[in-house]
Amino acid sequence: MDKVKLAVYWAGACGGCDIAIVELGEHLLELAQVADIVFWPCAMDFKLADVEAMSDGYIDITLFNGSIRTDEDLHVAKLLRSRSRALIAFGSCATEGCVPGLSNVRGSDYALERAYLEAPGTENTQGMLPGRASNLPDSLHLPGLRPQVRALQDVVTVDAFVRGCPPNYEQVWKAINQLLTEGLPRSGERLLGVDPRSLCDQCPRVRIGKIRVPRFKRIHEAIPDSEQCFLEQGFICAGPATHAGCSAACIKANMPCRGCYGPPEGVRDQGSAILDAVVAGFAGQNDAAIQEALASIVDPIGTFYRYSYAVSLLNQLAEHRNAQPEAVAVHAEPKR
Amino acid sequence: MTVLTFPLSRIEGHAQIIIRLSGGEVTRATLQATELRGFEYFLNGAPAEQLPLIVARICGVCSTAHHVAAVKALETIYGIEPPPAAIYIRELLMLGQLIQNQATSLFLFTMPDFPDRQGVPSVFDFGGTDTDIAARALEVRRAGTDLIMLAGGQFIHPIRAVIGGVSSMMPTDGIAALRERLKAVLPLACELFERYWRMFIGLRDRIGTLGDDTPSYYLAAVTEGHAYYGSKLRILDPNGIEQAAFSPCDYGEYLTEVPVENSYSNATLFNGHIMRANSLARLNLLPQLGTPLADSFMQRFHREWGHPAHAILLYDLARGIELVYCLEKALEMLEHVPSGELKVHYEPCDGEGCGLVEAPRGPLIHHYRIENGLVKMVKFIIPTQHNILAIEQALMVAARRYVHDDSINLELERAVGRVVRAFDPCISCATH
């Protein structure tokens, strides 16, 4: 039987997802028995030109990690889409933009100015911004930043997803086996390697079902009790609106969940789902008390949308507003 | 003008090398980093205590170093010192970081360059009696991640270090199990490194050089018996004399960051000089490590190449000596894990401060300003940036060796890969 042709690519990301694949260790050698790795720039000597030379559909499975951040990321995403029979969004960046997606709030021009002009200790007297020099030959072209960080599925069709920042290596092995033996999942949210529950369902902590705190605490303000639900102790935890798969690693180290496995099945917007779960915990209390507790949460976008801002309804809304400022201004008029 | 472009593989992140020629003359060699995410912007407004978790995402390879540098920077601002038991756990985390990184760099990234004339495409392609290298290499590096998992609570983006200490103790059964694993892995690592050393000599004999050996400035934050936790930065001058020692908050007096034409990564200078950081800088600053196996490799190293040593390919061997040191050191530390308080009480306050660790690629500084409990400014002094200009200088040396008036030796492409990998740059970190 022909070996399966496998590719791994790292786009706008930290590299943790590639490392998660290296972490397969001895399984990686088993994998080499049944699969030929035809492209994996971090670990092997293949170059983009090799992929360009392949025919469409030549690669059986591509594990694509990283967000679409630069023009090059977009180019490679399209290229690998055409060359791959199955394209898998691997990890939080490819699936939902992850932490770098937070730069969408003010966009990439601001990110450039911040990093190269405003940061202390930098001597940039000529105000050079990378990728903005106009007098250089094409051969020195630097890939530009896209105005917004995108998840892979927002630029090409994606066949299945492996969640997590990064995906746990046991889950990675499960996902790869699932692909090799059963092929692509045909229905549902097409998630690989995870069981279909929320983190709360896996969490070993005791929960009574009610949040009764006057305000939310920040994690440095107290050492959380290690047996009791974080939310009920007044620490924001994304567990109720986060998909299972991590084996509750953070929870076990006495740190609340920040939501890196993305929303549970059927949930479109993770941030509003976390907020929803928090508010539901206050059921039975008056609005003023609930509002006071909610007002104590600092950095709401970074708290509720740390991993999913790029694919959130909020980001869509903000983009829509920026694109059509006048239309929104009319809607914003108070009704008389 | 002729422009030669070399896309890079077997490194961390996105970069390419551009060599410009005019006539038969090499005029310039640049490392172009081709990615940027923008952490210096989007961390603005984040709650201070979340930084140790978010900054780990700067890099999946060096996440531990960022995680620990972040808590140290915040502790400087709050004026607190974590208890010894917490520092102990953080040091184990850093050793895990080093083991994982050095094993990856040695066996996955550079070792495939050595065999025969061409090298092999990857660690999975060694043939003959060396087919076992991949399995052994993966086992050795796994010991590093297991240590990160044990000490950090999460295997790639750790979570256990918190401002004032650590969030919890490492599980006792985990400590015992890891000790046994390290005992088994140490001889494996030594045996693999011996083979690495032999192949390395083979490469040197074939190509007849170990690359750019210009005496240089070296930067590292190391002291005897250290575990990469970092207290002061030290500078060695090209004659091997220590020229400066400074605390991370004073970095601005010694280190300047300058833009690199058409790259997303800036570069650092020491008082206007090109310098080098990473493994060779550490060994040049610390000629004796203090563990038996590592020191016996070190003596061999000194016998062969002297002290300080300058040829850039020696970075690779230095990494191997460090791998052995970190395994020995971690093993020693796991024998005597102290008990006691894990976290000190503190009152968060606003202010400005820096945190330092010795990351795999050199000193990493996180510089924060906190206002109203939220981030007002972050700045990362990244180890790979310390080496950017040294990489370009070494590339010039390589290019001049292989570019002639009328022809370009095909060895140039391989040489470019070797030069870059010797410095083991991390482009995700360098651009962030």
Side-chain angles (χ1 to χ4, degrees):
Chain A
M1 201 184 86
D2 275 355
K3 280 185 167 184
V4 171
K5 293 190 185 67
L6 185 72
V8 178
Y9 190 69
W10 158 353
C14 74
C17 286
D18 264 43
I19 298 296
I21 296 172
V22 176
E23 282 310 319
L24 287 174
E26 68 277 13
H27 290 318
L28 207 50
L29 303 170
E30 281 175 53
L31 183 62
Q33 305 290 315
V34 294
D36 276 331
I37 302 178
V38 295
F39 183 54
W40 187 5
C42 172
M44 304 178 126
D45 268 348
F46 299 106
K47 306 287 195 302
L48 211 49
D50 299 313
V51 181
E52 275 156 5
M54 293 170 186
S55 54
D56 280 356
Y58 176 83
I59 303 168
D60 292 302
I61 301 167
T62 292
L63 305 176
F64 188 104
N65 71 69
S67 61
I68 307 305
R69 197 349 160 199
T70 64
D71 295 336
E72 183 179 73
D73 297 332
L74 181 64
H75 168 71
V76 180
K78 289 180 176 167
L79 180 68
L80 281 170
R81 173 65 279 182
S82 73
R83 300 297 189 261
S84 312
R85 282 151 33 104
L87 179 67
I88 314 299
F90 188 97
S92 174
C93 285
T95 307
E96 48 186 359
C98 196
V99 168
L102 291 171
S103 74
N104 285 0
V105 178
R106 283 181 74 174
S108 44
D109 285 350
Y110 185 65
L112 278 174
E113 287 170 20
R114 192 74 205 160
Y116 301 99
L117 300 179
E118 295 176 13
T122 308
E123 275 189 11
N124 189 358
T125 44
Q126 294 167 19
M128 266 167 64
L129 284 180
R132 298 291 160 88
S134 54
N135 55 349
L136 290 164
D138 280 354
S139 49
L140 297 181
H141 172 77
L142 183 69
L145 298 185
R146 309 290 304 162
Q148 294 262 295
V149 170
R150 298 282 186 220
L152 185 60
Q153 58 178 322
D154 289 335
V155 300
V156 293
T157 306
V158 171
D159 298 304
F161 300 85
V162 178
R163 293 267 190 90
C165 179
N168 171 296
Y169 53 79
E170 284 164 14
Q171 169 205 347
V172 172
W173 186 230
K174 240 199 264 180
I176 289 175
N177 272 307
Q178 204 176 326
L179 281 170
L180 294 176
T181 56
E182 298 161 31
L184 286 168
R186 290 175 203 288
S187 59
E189 307 216 352
R190 294 170 292 143
L191 305 185
L192 296 169
V194 286
D195 68 30
R197 297 187 294 169
S198 78
L199 178 61
C200 260
D201 297 327
Q202 279 191 336
C203 180
R205 291 179 178 241
V206 179
R207 201 170 57 204
I208 53 168
K210 284 185 191 141
I211 306 176
R212 292 291 178 268
V213 293
R215 56 178 281 272
F216 282 97
K217 287 192 280 273
R218 290 163 66 175
I219 192 69
H220 62 293
E221 293 177 327
I223 296 181
D225 179 272
S226 60
E227 310 283 319
Q228 221 197 330
C229 169
F230 280 111
L231 274 170
E232 293 174 4
Q233 296 181 61
F235 295 100
I236 292 290
C237 176
T242 299
H243 203 286
C246 62
S247 316
C250 294
I251 305 273
K252 285 177 193 160
N254 208 17
M255 292 294 276
C257 170
R258 291 274 79 102
C260 78
Y261 268 70
E265 303 225 359
V267 173
R268 163 70 183 80
D269 188 278
Q270 190 182 18
S272 52
I274 301 171
L275 186 59
D276 209 34
V278 170
V279 174
F282 283 103
Q285 285 188 290
N286 67 51
D287 282 0
I290 300 175
Q291 275 174 14
E292 199 183 318
L294 291 181
S296 67
I297 300 170
V298 291
D299 186 25
I301 291 183
T303 303
F304 295 117
Y305 291 99
R306 178 164 304 171
Y307 297 93
S308 64
Y309 184 74
V311 297
S312 69
L313 292 171
L314 202 62
N315 193 18
Q316 270 186 18
L317 199 67
E319 270 191 84
H320 181 76
R321 195 181 54 197
N322 292 340
Q324 295 167 303
E326 286 145 32
V328 174
V330 173
H331 288 295
E333 285 286 313
K335 283 180 187 160
R336 289 168 209 275
Chain B
M1 183 176 72
T2 311
V3 178
L4 305 174
T5 309
F6 300 94
L8 295 168
S9 52
R10 278 190 278 127
I11 65 158
E12 288 106 357
H14 302 273
Q16 56 180 2
I17 298 302
I18 294 168
I19 295 176
R20 284 176 248 188
L21 312 174
S22 184
E25 190 76 6
V26 182
T27 53
R28 202 151 169 205
T30 40
L31 185 147
Q32 186 183 51
T34 56
E35 59 175 311
L36 172 85
R37 284 156 300 148
F39 275 79
E40 266 150 353
Y41 146 48
F42 61 73
L43 287 172
N44 269 5
E49 74 281 6
Q50 292 296 327
L51 284 171
L53 301 177
I54 308 178
V55 296
R57 268 80 187 173
I58 289 175
C59 179
V61 182
C62 322
S63 50
T64 298
H66 289 291
H67 179 61
V68 177
V71 289
K72 289 183 75 178
L74 291 164
E75 284 161 359
T76 309
I77 296 173
Y78 299 164
I80 50 169
E81 180 69 23
I87 294 181
Y88 205 85
I89 292 175
R90 294 178 186 181
E91 288 182 332
L92 283 166
L93 248 174
M94 288 304 297
L95 290 172
Q97 165 83 84
L98 264 287
I99 294 168
Q100 183 246 56
N101 188 84
Q102 305 312 54
T104 307
S105 174
L106 283 165
F107 307 126
L108 268 70
F109 292 167
T110 61
M111 204 170 185
D113 285 333
F114 299 162
D116 309 324
R117 275 198 63 78
Q118 305 267 335
V120 291
S122 79
V123 70
F124 308 108
D125 299 299
F126 285 106
T129 53
D130 288 328
T131 33
D132 61 336
I133 287 177
R136 284 163 176 254
L138 291 170
E139 199 178 332
V140 173
R141 78 170 292 291
R142 183 64 166 272
T145 16
D146 284 353
L147 181 55
I148 295 176
M149 180 76 194
L150 176 75
Q154 254 280 27
F155 91 112
I156 284 178
H157 296 311
I159 47 182
R160 189 171 264 122
V162 293
I163 310 165
V166 291
S167 67
S168 52
M169 192 44 177
M170 305 178 287
T172 321
D173 50 344
I175 296 173
L178 195 68
R179 219 165 40 214
E180 291 313 306
R181 259 185 64 80
L182 291 184
K183 272 185 200 155
V185 160
L186 179 60
L188 201 63
C190 289
E191 187 274 333
L192 212 47
F193 183 41
E194 287 282 3
R195 269 203 264 181
Y196 186 97
W197 195 305
R198 275 200 303 277
M199 284 193 195
F200 177 90
I201 297 295
L203 174 86
R204 180 200 61 185
D205 294 345
R206 179 171 70 75
I207 62 176
T209 176
L210 288 175
D212 181 12
D213 56 3
T214 320
S216 297
Y217 285 90
Y218 291 94
L219 172 73
V222 291
T223 45
E224 202 171 332
H226 78 116
Y228 299 84
Y229 194 64
S231 55
K232 272 191 170 359
L233 295 100
R234 298 167 60 196
I235 294 267
L236 202 68
D237 76 8
N239 302 315
I241 295 161
E242 187 161 340
Q243 202 176 78
F246 53 98
S247 78
C249 291
D250 298 329
Y251 77 87
E253 288 172 38
Y254 299 88
L255 308 177
T256 324
E257 206 174 307
V258 291
V260 175
E261 181 196 54
N262 223 28
S263 165
Y264 284 114
S265 171
N266 288 342
T268 338
L269 290 165
F270 162 69
N271 284 346
H273 301 288
I274 296 179
M275 63 175 159
R276 294 171 172 181
N278 202 325
S279 58
L280 188 62
R282 287 189 288 265
L283 295 203
N284 280 343
L285 270 151
L286 201 62
Q288 196 171 344
L289 290 166
T291 59
L293 294 171
D295 274 337
S296 78
F297 279 113
M298 186 82 120
Q299 280 160 16
R300 257 164 77 182
F301 185 90
H302 287 151
R303 268 202 307 276
E304 188 96 22
W305 292 288
H307 172 262
H310 298 293
I312 56 150
L313 289 185
L314 294 176
Y315 269 99
D316 293 329
L317 288 187
R319 232 164 256 133
I321 297 174
E322 291 198 294
L323 171 66
V324 174
Y325 171 69
C326 292
L327 285 165
E328 286 182 292
K329 181 81 185 168
L331 200 51
E332 185 189 302
M333 286 181 69
L334 284 172
E335 300 284 348
H336 316 281
V337 177
S339 54
E341 208 191 356
L342 293 175
K343 195 177 163 203
V344 291
H345 175 79
Y346 63 92
E347 293 296 330
C349 61
D350 288 354
E352 190 164 344
C354 296
L356 164 74
V357 294
E358 179 67 23
R361 291 159 189 79
L364 166 70
I365 301 170
H366 282 206
H367 177 183
Y368 303 152
R369 187 157 68 237
I370 305 297
E371 284 178 23
N372 301 317
L374 306 177
V375 172
K376 185 67 184 171
M377 182 282 297
V378 294
K379 162 84 185 166
F380 303 104
I381 317 297
I382 299 285
T384 289
Q385 292 188 359
H386 306 323
N387 273 337
I388 295 276
L389 298 174
I391 295 175
E392 294 189 349
Q393 180 183 289
L395 285 167
M396 285 291 284
V397 171
R400 289 192 171 130
R401 185 178 176 91
Y402 296 111
V403 174
H404 310 293
D405 284 348
D406 49 354
S407 66
I408 297 170
N409 187 327
L410 288 178
E411 187 65 27
L412 177 61
E413 183 171 2
R414 289 190 285 274
V416 162
R418 284 193 298 264
V419 167
V420 174
R421 284 179 207 118
F423 289 94
D424 190 26
C426 180
I427 310 299
S428 324
C429 285
T431 56
H432 51 273

